[in-house]
Amino acid sequence: MEAGKLGANVEVWTVSMDLPFAQKRWCGAAGVTAVKTLSDFRERSFAQNYGVLVKEGPLAGLTARAVFVVGKDGKVKHAEYVKEITTEPNYEAALNAARQAAGS
């Protein structure tokens, strides 16, 4: 995973509506070890605060795909909201923003 090569000062988090046991199962199946997972299932506060809560349609109540890079100062340095949930975000742009935020 490229994000793991960004150095000790960079953390990778994933936030979803999945329950914690499902997140853990996914990480195990995908061989992901350096990602911290958070579930927004109960309060949906992350989804609401970051504008990723799907409000209408068959996926209402889930989170849209998005990537955020937050700098050491706590400010969002990069944000990408993916229009179609089946589309992957531009990971290279996020990695470049993370490298810049980390100063590497």
Side-chain angles (χ1 to χ4, degrees), residues 13-67:
W13 294 72
T14 182
V15 182
S16 72
M17 292 295 184
D18 293 323
L19 293 170
F21 75 87
Q23 292 174 328
K24 185 176 180 180
R25 183 178 63 221
W26 177 84
C27 286
V32 173
T33 58
V35 174
K36 297 177 183 180
T37 59
L38 295 171
S39 175
D40 200 25
F41 179 79
R42 288 197 176 164
E43 302 197 16
R44 292 174 162 67
S45 59
F46 179 87
Q48 292 174 20
N49 291 334
Y50 280 80
V52 294
L53 182 64
V54 177
K55 296 179 181 176
E56 299 174 353
L59 300 176
L62 297 179
T63 52
R65 276 195 168 177
V67 175

